[in-house]
Amino acid sequence: MRYAPVALVLSALAALTASAGQSATPEVLDPRAAALEAQGKVALANGDLDRATDGFEAALAISPGSAVLVMDLADVARHQAMPGKALHYYRAVLARDPANLDALAGEGQALAQKGAFDKAKRNLARLEAICGDGCPPARNLASALTAAQAQAQVTPAAAHVVSADTPNSGVVNN
């Protein structure tokens, strides 16, 4: 009985140390890279996608392997309607950190943009299992998925198919 309090304190200390090792430390960028990232974010907000890409790539040259900067490049690729390129970036982040909620949500958004709704729904289910349906990444993916599905339903109906027997206006037959 004399050792019970000591054992309790030691076990609590071991549990605390083990759980502290599970939490990820926030990524700190080099100040030059952070300045370039800030410029890229301003350019992205203003719709200047080329300048945003340049800023993020320059920052990545200073801080290679930065997950934050790779995620920024993925966001630009999605804005450029290049979901395949965005998927490449998101998957690079997920390869290093499979539990990155923002990368999971971004990958789901890129999949939805590409029309892979079932895969995007799997990402949403995975996010909801990890953080619940109320967390911001899950809400963002759910709304992006809904919007992409609505867009996909409108697009085929709005498409106009020209058949072979439709006369071409403006074409002169000599």
Side-chain angles (χ1 to χ4, degrees), residues 131-156:
C131 68
D133 60 353
C135 74
R139 282 196 318 257
N140 291 343
L141 177 53
S143 63
L145 184 56
T146 302
Q149 286 176 322
Q151 179 67 28
Q153 290 175 355
V154 169
T155 303

Side-chain angles (χ1 to χ4, degrees), residues 7-103:
L8 183 63
V9 169
L10 287 175
S11 64
L13 180 62
L16 180 63
T17 305
S19 66
Q22 294 291 335
S23 63
T25 58
E27 184 177 340
V28 179
L29 292 176
D30 179 283
R32 297 169 298 162
L36 289 166
E37 183 199 21
Q39 291 173 0
K41 286 189 181 275
V42 168
L44 181 60
N46 291 331
D48 190 352
L49 301 179
D50 291 333
R51 182 170 283 161
T53 301
D54 291 345
F56 297 144
E57 286 178 346
L60 195 59
I62 295 170
S63 294
S66 167
V68 171
L69 296 171
V70 173
M71 293 282 294
D72 289 336
L73 286 169
D75 289 341
V76 172
R78 267 199 358 233
H79 281 88
Q80 291 173 324
M82 298 172 68
K85 187 174 185 179
L87 285 170
H88 168 76
Y89 288 129
Y90 289 125
R91 289 176 179 161
V93 172
L94 288 170
R96 286 182 281 161
D97 181 12
N100 187 316
L101 300 181
D102 293 325

Side-chain angles (χ1 to χ4, degrees), residues 14 34 38 66 88 95 107 117 129 143 148 156-157 160-161:
S66 167
H88 168 76
E107 181 187 41
F117 300 121
S143 63
H160 175 70
V161 178

